[in-house]
Amino acid sequence: PDAKPIKRTALGRFKHEGAMVTVAKNRKIVVYMGDDQRSEYVYKFVSKRTFNPATPKDNLNLLDEGTLFVARYDADGLGRWIALEHNRNGLTAANGFPDQAYIVINPRLAADFVGATPMDRPEWIAVHPQTKDVYVTLTNNTDRGSKVNLNAANPRISNSMGHIVRWTEANGDNSGTVFKWEIYTLAG
């Protein structure tokens, strides 16, 4: 309670509804996050360094260095985490992304550019403690189908009731870049 708050810019600047933290098989810290606005994105951050429960002091800054990813949900039920890193995936100065600071301060622009999947207001995310499956609640998007195109992960026109998407990371590795997804629940 006496610690000074620290800004964790590497996690990206957007409407964080929440963040779910888990430890991957390789002991890296993974933070799943939703950008709670219509047609925005699901992100994850993977720490550069690994978590060591024996040395808590060494874990204090694990969220300062790592890779910010954005999700793409493909129609075949597979998904990819696309790295939002300077000089990768077209995120170059020539394409309007001068450095990594610009990307993490403007992750929505970077996500648009790399072709991430616009979602129906991604909010809370949970990781199952045993299976490590991940669940994201999608609140609603009444613009879906009129101002915003339908996509496989957001299939309902004028989605006023929301839904839940579940995915399993390849090989049960939350720090990986490939996952298998499904619509778990369509509300209403």
Side-chain angles (χ1 to χ4, degrees):
D2 298 325
K4 183 180 178 182
I6 298 171
K7 201 179 249 191
R8 303 293 183 186
T9 308
L11 297 176
R13 185 180 289 172
F14 50 84
K15 287 186 177 180
H16 292 266
E17 177 70 20
M20 181 60 186
V21 180
T22 192
V23 179
K25 284 182 174 180
N26 60 8
R27 308 301 296 163
K28 291 187 177 195
I29 297 297
V30 177
V31 184
Y32 291 100
M33 303 164 284
D35 185 352
D36 182 18
Q37 189 162 310
R38 289 180 195 165
S39 305
E40 291 304 334
Y41 302 104
V42 174
Y43 297 89
K44 84 172 174 180
F45 174 85
V46 178
S47 66
K48 181 177 180 179
R49 295 183 298 114
T50 57
F51 172 75
N52 184 346
T55 57
K57 195 172 185 174
D58 293 340
N59 299 323
L60 293 175
N61 297 315
L62 289 177
L63 301 181
D64 291 338
E65 290 182 88
T67 303
L68 181 64
F69 294 89
V70 66
R72 187 184 77 212
Y73 298 85
D74 294 330
D76 62 1
L78 294 177
R80 299 227 178 259
W81 291 105
I82 304 167
L84 298 181
E85 281 187 320
H86 190 248
N87 289 327
R88 283 183 69 187
N89 300 311
L91 299 172
T92 63
N95 289 327
F97 300 93
D99 54 31
Q100 187 62 23
Y102 184 85
I103 292 168
V104 296
I105 290 171
N106 300 284
R108 289 174 172 178
L109 294 176
D112 290 343
F113 183 84
V114 300
T117 303
M119 305 294 280
D120 291 347
R121 288 190 56 206
E123 291 197 13
W124 295 103
I125 297 181
V127 177
H128 191 284
Q130 281 82 37
T131 66
K132 296 296 186 176
D133 286 353
V134 186
Y135 300 79
V136 60
T137 58
L138 301 154
T139 307
N140 65 64
N141 188 350
T142 53
D143 289 345
R144 183 68 65 186
S146 59
K147 296 178 187 173
V148 182
N149 291 334
L150 295 173
N151 61 52
N154 303 272
R156 189 166 34 192
I157 292 174
S158 190
N159 184 8
S160 63
M161 293 175 269
H163 59 293
I164 299 171
V165 171
R166 171 175 61 189
W167 66 89
T168 303
E169 301 276 5
N171 303 313
D173 180 8
N174 292 88
S175 69
T177 59
V178 178
F179 58 93
K180 203 172 172 183
W181 71 272
E182 66 180 345
I183 293 177
Y184 180 70
T185 302
L186 277 174

